[in-house]
Amino acid sequence: MNVEQILIHGKLDRHVPVDLSVEYHRRAIEQGDKVRLVVLPEVEHFMIIDPSSSAWKAVTDSLETSKRSSR
């Protein structure tokens, strides 16, 4: 896949285990994909999409970093 990907996953996610993103990241890298994994400690499933959560800044920072590096 020739699309830059950012995987953002909360370490405390009980709905979707972080190991799924870790494994996807590993396989994507092996395939030569441009993918970055951000694992947020102390973050559960819904905090990643909640703008009022403490995790939101890390999510937006990850996207901004990606945006700057792709220019």
Side-chain angles (χ1 to χ4, degrees):
M1 187 181 306
N2 196 17
V3 176
E4 183 177 355
Q5 303 167 69
I6 304 171
L7 310 173
I8 305 173
H9 208 118
K11 181 102 174 159
L12 300 181
D13 191 331
R14 292 183 302 154
H15 299 280
V16 180
V18 71
D19 292 343
L20 290 176
S21 287
V22 170
E23 182 63 16
Y24 178 91
H25 178 257
R26 184 187 66 75
R27 289 182 183 203
I29 293 294
E30 286 176 357
Q31 299 283 328
D33 288 350
K34 203 170 165 185
V35 60
R36 187 165 54 106
L37 174 62
V38 178
V39 177
L40 302 175
E42 306 302 319
V43 173
E44 54 83 22
H45 187 77
F46 294 104
M47 289 176 74
I48 289 174
I49 60 167
D50 180 357
S52 67
S53 80
S54 59
W56 190 247
K57 179 151 176 44
V59 171
T60 58
D61 286 352
S62 295
L63 297 173
E64 283 296 320
T65 300
S66 175
K67 188 171 147 183
R68 283 192 301 269
S69 68
S70 66
R71 291 181 184 166

